[in-house]
Amino acid sequence: MVNQVSLNVKGMSCGHCVSSVENSVGKLDGVNEVKVHLDSGKVDISFEEDKVSLEVIKETIDDQGYDIV
């Protein structure tokens, strides 16, 4: 089953931040699409719930140094 989620992420401010989040989350098995919206501080993610959990996605963003609010 494919889930869509939009997370509020604090601390992203530049192109490197966008690449960091999109690349790290995008590499997770089961993640179909990741789109960072720098202006609003949101990250839209499409993922397959049976392959990857939202918790793992959040941990991956956290590991990049950003806070989910």
Side-chain angles (χ1 to χ4, degrees):
M1 179 170 164
V2 175
N3 269 3
Q4 299 270 355
V5 68
S6 185
L7 301 173
N8 290 315
V9 180
K10 199 165 73 174
M12 300 182 300
S13 61
C14 64
H16 172 74
C17 302
V18 172
S19 296
S20 177
V21 171
E22 287 183 350
N23 290 334
S24 61
V25 174
K27 286 180 184 167
L28 295 172
D29 186 38
V31 172
N32 300 327
E33 187 177 2
V34 184
K35 180 68 180 151
V36 173
H37 304 279
L38 209 51
D39 55 342
S40 61
K42 291 194 182 298
V43 180
D44 294 331
I45 305 160
S46 170
F47 66 100
E48 296 175 46
E49 202 172 36
D50 56 340
K51 290 186 179 176
V52 64
S53 71
L54 182 56
E55 207 49 49
V56 168
I57 292 170
K58 288 180 176 180
E59 286 173 14
T60 302
I61 293 172
D62 188 61
D63 289 347
Q64 296 300 311
Y66 307 106
D67 298 318
I68 296 164
V69 290

